[in-house]
């Protein structure tokens, strides 16, 4: 049995049937990492010893007849999420060597479900970026074309799943950081409703937008991870205390009568022609499956980018005040306390410094009302756009990104151009819904394209089932890089 070729769902069955063991699957992933990751560079830390111990434990639980949902399944975790005993750097030098003494809620949940943690994946520093080029350590390469970015900020997790170095992975999505890299790497990426997954133990970037999300090779794989990760947590005051339905059972593939909205504002000038063609073809496919396609409008879409780049940096400037060399991570000693704090904070990379300055400015007395206050008002208008749209439709379908993966270095010195990579994903974070990206084809360079499906608050079951129905119409194996080299 070629263990790296199995997806999560297939592995789960093989484990239950005793056809393989968690130790064997974990070892297969670790071998694959040794083989591939010196080029792709998706992992910041591989926790091989801990992983094999967890796998041996899972094998015992399987032998005892336990049927926990992720029992024995090896996964990867974005390095912005705390995992006990493993370094958690958030991709930043300011947290180099920081080992959290506890697991994030989501890691705790996945461990309880029996998952094996292979390691921590690369990210743009504090999740600020769209390419992993802002990581304080190194850039991750796209498994489809090593000269290109995997997207970001959860680029390490997306690349690890695409290159079969994990069966699934966790990321975070504050403005698109799960959906955009999923699109660039040809995997499925889900951004659940804000509050669906506790942020306890997740390094804060912009607290009103941050949400843990997940990557899988297929919709079913992604759903399995989501199912295990969601649930109420009293330690996060924004955690939603709502019933958790059976999302796996909801994957029926039946979307007859589903009302799918296509927003005019997401097919704009600047979008690559091949992306538009592929996304429109995917929408036509949904129609063939029985969905009813309707044109809709989200009129305030064009304000999403400026609003996001006021709110996110404002919240970040407050959240990142805690890195002072006293509480976490390294400390650079200066002549006095002020000098120590200053020199320690010089460990932040240029993008993080830019955001702290932007955010501090937007929040400062005299500018607060003009910038931050106004951004909050426009955020409400964007939320209302979605509310109105979901009166008419069940799901919104559009591109995840205007382009396919760009070259490493191409946008690195051009922050505005980099920010445009998230133009279609940001609005969702500013509203209250959920969204995902599912592969829907390739451009002429062989790079993956993503279809974004957006749902109303807590409507994950609907978007996952829509993606599942669509996915059944495409050949899944072709959706992962397999060019002989990988
Ligand atoms: N790329 C966006 C940013 O740089 C979104 C990041 C994210 O979702 N974490 O802020």
């Amino acid at each position: 049995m070629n263990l790296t070729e199995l997806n999560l769902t297939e592995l789960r069955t093989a484990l239950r049937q005793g056809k393989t063991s968690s130790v064997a699957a974990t070892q297969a992933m670790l071998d694959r990492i040794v083989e591939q990751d010196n080029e792709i560079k998706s992992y910041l830390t591989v926790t091989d010893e801990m992983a094999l111990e967890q796998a041996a434990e899972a094998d015992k639980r399987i032998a005892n007849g336990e049927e926990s949902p992720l029992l024995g399944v090896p996964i990867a975790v974005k390095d912005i999420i705390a995992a006990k005993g493993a370094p958690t750097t958030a991709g930043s030098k300011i947290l180099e060597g920081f080992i959290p003494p506890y697991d994030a809620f989501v890691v705790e949940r996945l461990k309880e479900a029996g998952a094996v943690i292979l390691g921590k994946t690369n990210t743009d520093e504090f999740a600020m970026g769209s390419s992993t080029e802002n990581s304080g350590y190194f850039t991750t390469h796209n498994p489809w074309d090593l000269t290109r970015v995997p997207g970001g900020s959860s680029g390490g997790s997306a690349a690890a799943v695409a290159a079969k170095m994990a069966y699934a992975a966790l990321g975070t999505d504050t403005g698109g950081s799960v959906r955009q890299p999923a699109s660039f790497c040809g995997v499925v990426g889900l951004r659940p409703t804000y509050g669906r997954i506790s942020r306890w133990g997740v390094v804060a970037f912009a607290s009103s937008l941050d949400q843990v999300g997940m990557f899988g090779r297929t919709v079913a794989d992604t759903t399995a991870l989501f199912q295990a990760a969601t649930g109420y947590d009293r330690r996060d005051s924004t955690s939603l205390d709502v019933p958790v339905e059976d999302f796996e059972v909801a994957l029926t593939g039946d979307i007859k009568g589903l009302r799918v909205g296509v927003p005019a504002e997401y097919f704009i000038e600047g979008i690559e022609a091949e992306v538009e063609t592929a996304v429109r073809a995917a929408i036509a496919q949904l129609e063939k499956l029985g969905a009813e396609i309707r044109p809709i409008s989200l009129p305030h879409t064009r304000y999403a980018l400026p609003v996001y780049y006021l709110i996110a940096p404002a919240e970040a400037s407050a959240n990142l005040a805690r890195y002072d060399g006293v509480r976490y991570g390294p400390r650079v000693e200066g002549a006095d306390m002020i000098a120590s704090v200053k020199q320690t904070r010089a460990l932040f990379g240029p993008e993080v410094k830019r955001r702290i300055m932007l955010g501090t400015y937007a929040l400062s007395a005299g500018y607060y009302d003009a910038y931050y206050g106004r951004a909050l008002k426009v955020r409400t208008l964007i939320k209302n756009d979605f509310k109105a749209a979901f009166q008419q439709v069940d799901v919104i379908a559009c591109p995840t990104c205007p382009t396919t993966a760009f070259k490493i270095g191409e946008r690195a010195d051009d922050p505005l151009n980099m920010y445009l990579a998230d133009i279609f994903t940001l609005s969702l974070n500013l509203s209250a819904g959920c969204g995902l990206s599912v592969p829907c084809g390739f451009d002429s360079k062989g790079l993956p394209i993503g279809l974004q499906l957006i749902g109303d608050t807590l409507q994950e079951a609907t978007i996952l089932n829509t993606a599942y129905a669509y996915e059944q119409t495409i050949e899944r194996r072709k959706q992962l890089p397999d060019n002989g080299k990988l």
Side-chain angles (χ1 to χ4, degrees):
M1 191 181 310
N2 187 346
L3 287 170
T4 53
E5 292 305 312
L6 299 184
N7 63 38
L8 186 154
T9 314
E10 291 162 347
L11 174 69
R12 205 161 62 164
T13 310
L15 288 169
R16 280 184 189 163
Q17 293 173 345
K19 292 199 176 130
T20 187
S21 67
S22 176
V23 168
T26 303
Q27 194 58 58
M29 289 293 113
L30 294 173
D31 292 346
R32 177 97 179 151
I33 293 168
V34 170
E35 231 172 72
Q36 302 289 342
D37 212 34
N38 52 350
E39 280 192 304
I40 295 176
K41 296 180 170 295
S42 54
Y43 282 89
L44 280 169
T45 312
V46 179
T47 49
D48 40 3
E49 272 179 36
M50 275 198 286
L52 287 166
E53 275 168 30
Q54 288 164 9
E57 185 57 34
D59 281 333
K60 271 192 218 149
R61 286 167 65 182
I62 294 170
N64 287 336
E66 211 180 300
E67 285 221 347
S68 205
L70 295 177
L71 198 47
V73 176
I75 60 159
V77 176
K78 182 181 183 181
D79 202 30
I80 199 156
I81 302 172
K84 193 174 173 174
T88 296
T89 67
S92 181
K93 289 282 183 195
I94 212 161
L95 280 174
E96 191 165 18
F98 171 66
I99 299 187
Y102 66 95
D103 280 326
F105 170 86
V106 62
V107 171
E108 203 175 88
R109 286 293 293 249
L110 296 183
K111 280 186 179 168
E112 271 165 28
V116 170
I117 313 289
L118 292 163
K120 307 296 295 294
T121 54
N122 197 23
T123 166
D124 288 292
E125 186 173 3
F126 287 100
M128 297 175 188
S130 309
S131 67
T132 74
E133 290 166 294
N134 296 339
S135 164
Y137 298 91
F138 44 73
T139 298
T140 300
H141 297 244
N142 190 312
W144 294 91
D145 176 347
L146 296 173
T147 67
R148 291 177 188 270
V149 302
S153 63
S154 314
S157 283
V161 173
K164 305 165 194 166
M165 295 188 284
Y167 290 95
L170 289 178
T172 55
D173 189 317
T174 302
S177 278
V178 167
R179 288 160 289 153
Q180 186 257 18
S183 172
F184 280 14
C185 289
V187 295
V188 180
L190 171 69
R191 193 271 184 197
T193 305
Y194 181 81
R196 266 287 197 194
I197 299 176
S198 167
R199 289 177 295 112
W200 198 78
V202 180
V203 176
F205 160 16
S207 304
S208 78
L209 304 162
D210 294 344
Q211 182 56 210
V212 174
M214 47 279 303
F215 298 93
R217 299 185 198 177
T218 66
V219 175
D221 290 7
T222 312
T223 306
L225 201 60
F226 171 52
Q227 185 83 55
T230 187
Y232 175 67
D233 175 22
R234 62 175 178 79
R235 293 166 299 187
D236 173 359
S237 61
T238 62
S239 171
L240 295 173
D241 193 1
V242 290
V244 176
E245 57 259 60
D246 192 329
F247 297 103
E248 297 192 61
V249 166
L251 299 181
T252 59
D254 179 4
I255 56 163
K256 278 190 205 72
L258 184 85
R259 297 167 304 165
V260 176
V262 180
E265 294 79 4
Y266 282 64
F267 293 88
I268 46 167
E269 209 185 307
I271 171 173
E272 278 176 3
E274 290 177 312
V275 171
E276 175 161 359
T277 307
V279 170
R280 290 210 187 270
I283 294 170
Q285 190 64 257
L286 295 178
E287 192 168 21
K288 265 196 211 151
L289 290 167
E292 192 189 304
I293 312 297
R294 294 187 184 180
I296 57 159
S297 174
L298 297 166
H300 296 94
T301 300
R302 67 196 181 97
Y303 301 113
L305 196 76
V307 165
Y308 174 87
Y309 278 100
L310 282 166
I311 293 178
E315 294 185 14
S317 71
N319 274 327
L320 270 54
R322 74 190 67 170
Y323 303 104
D324 52 11
V326 178
R327 285 169 283 190
Y328 315 89
R331 171 197 185 96
V332 183
E333 277 315 331
D336 55 24
M337 195 202 70
I338 297 291
S340 298
V341 171
K342 272 191 183 164
Q343 286 170 31
T344 302
R345 285 176 70 80
L347 293 170
F348 283 132
E351 182 62 27
V352 175
K353 287 181 187 158
R354 180 180 298 122
R355 306 262 181 131
I356 292 175
M357 285 190 283
L358 279 172
T360 307
Y361 182 78
L363 287 177
S364 54
Y367 294 106
Y368 184 98
D369 287 337
Y371 293 111
Y372 183 67
R374 216 189 262 182
L376 290 183
K377 289 180 188 152
V378 182
R379 182 177 186 174
T380 304
L381 296 177
I382 293 170
K383 264 189 205 170
N384 290 346
D385 279 359
F386 280 97
K387 248 191 223 162
F390 286 121
Q391 301 284 317
Q392 306 164 44
V393 297
D394 306 302
V395 171
I396 295 171
C398 56
T400 309
C401 305
T403 68
T404 51
F406 46 89
K407 290 257 186 200
I408 291 174
E410 194 179 303
R411 301 191 188 183
D413 299 323
D414 184 354
L416 268 184
N417 200 10
M418 186 70 92
Y419 295 170
L420 285 172
D422 299 298
I423 188 122
F424 295 151
T425 48
L426 299 169
S427 298
L428 171 62
N429 301 70
L430 294 166
S431 85
C434 53
L436 61 76
S437 181
V438 60
C440 72
F442 298 90
D443 69 5
S444 48
K445 297 185 213 82
L447 300 169
I449 298 170
L451 165 72
Q452 182 172 211
L453 297 172
I454 299 176
D456 203 357
T457 313
L458 298 175
Q459 296 305 308
E460 286 85 354
T462 309
I463 56 169
L464 286 166
N465 186 41
T466 310
Y468 179 77
Y470 170 70
E471 188 187 49
Q472 302 307 302
T473 67
I474 53 176
E475 168 56 299
R476 185 184 63 78
R477 297 281 171 201
K478 292 205 194 105
Q479 300 293 321
L480 290 173
D482 199 13
N483 49 20
K485 191 166 167 24
L486 292 169

